Amino acid sequence: MARPRKPLLSRERIVGCALSLVDAEGLEAVSTRRLAAELGVSGPSLYNHFRTKHEILDAVADTVCAQVDVEMFEDGTEWHEALLSWARSYRAALTEHPNIVPFLAQGPGRRPSQLRMADAVFGGMTGAGWSRAEATRIGALMRYFVAGSALGSFARGFVDDAAVYAADYPHLDQAHLLAEHQQRVDEGAFETGLRALIDGLSLRRRSDRRPD
């Protein structure tokens, strides 16, 4: 029998399958046994491409971060506009794959896409005149904010039953409507917080020129 033109298994197929499982069922759904079954291959064949489950999740996380645009830090965009655009792109990638966020929150490790992102942000901030210490803190601050906003929905945390709030929580008389407007509420909250952060950094930049 002639050999197939394309190999049965590849890193891309494994990562794509793992990402689908993470999206649908969470991080716990990923195992070499489950992946092998989903891909229709034997378990040991996965080890020709990845040594451990952790390596597979690393590749999944890196694939998600590769979707984040960082060109704004390299094309001369003003630092505050660059942060705005990057944060929006970053959140868009994470909200599309929220189940991978806890794994991403562990830090970049050796993941190329996350390291390129960290390098671009740090380079953009120091290139704009921020000290290395401040640039590090700004990068960390933005990551905390974006990752936190992608982990869950504030609006979906409220049930759509007005009776739950009527008697004991008079200030929440409209809370039962939040879930219905989840996207608008959550995106509005993100934009409000993002603008507040950037405005605060801009004020600090203008008023505080002290050395570290």
Side-chain angles (χ1 to χ4, degrees), residues 75-92:
D75 63 8
T77 301
E78 291 289 334
W79 69 267
H80 46 88
E81 290 295 335
L83 281 180
L84 282 170
S85 298
W86 166 62
R88 289 166 181 154
S89 178
Y90 194 9
R91 181 177 183 270

Side-chain angles (χ1 to χ4, degrees), residues 104-120:
L104 281 169
Q106 299 173 12
R110 299 176 183 271
R111 301 171 204 142
S113 293
Q114 271 195 279
L115 289 171
R116 281 195 295 271
M117 182 166 67
D119 182 68

Side-chain angles (χ1 to χ4, degrees), residues 73-183:
F73 292 108
E74 301 162 355
D75 63 8
T77 301
E78 291 289 334
W79 69 267
H80 46 88
E81 290 295 335
L83 281 180
L84 282 170
S85 298
W86 166 62
R88 289 166 181 154
S89 178
Y90 194 9
R91 181 177 183 270
L94 297 192
T95 53
E96 189 174 348
H97 307 285
N99 290 338
I100 197 64
V101 174
F103 190 82
L104 281 169
Q106 299 173 12
R110 299 176 183 271
R111 301 171 204 142
S113 293
Q114 271 195 279
L115 289 171
R116 281 195 295 271
M117 182 166 67
D119 182 68
V121 175
F122 184 77
M125 292 299 97
T126 55
W130 291 93
S131 71
R132 293 175 66 87
E134 288 281 23
T136 300
R137 289 192 284 268
I138 290 169
L141 165 67
M142 298 300 292
R143 186 168 67 86
Y144 299 152
F145 175 66
V146 174
S149 76
L151 273 175
S153 166
F154 172 80
R156 279 203 301 265
F158 293 85
V159 299
D160 62 357
D161 182 359
V164 172
Y165 313 102
D168 299 317
Y169 311 102
H171 300 298
L172 299 180
D173 59 317
Q174 298 294 305
H176 63 288
L177 302 175
L178 288 173
E180 180 183 349
H181 304 286
Q182 174 259 321
Q183 183 174 0

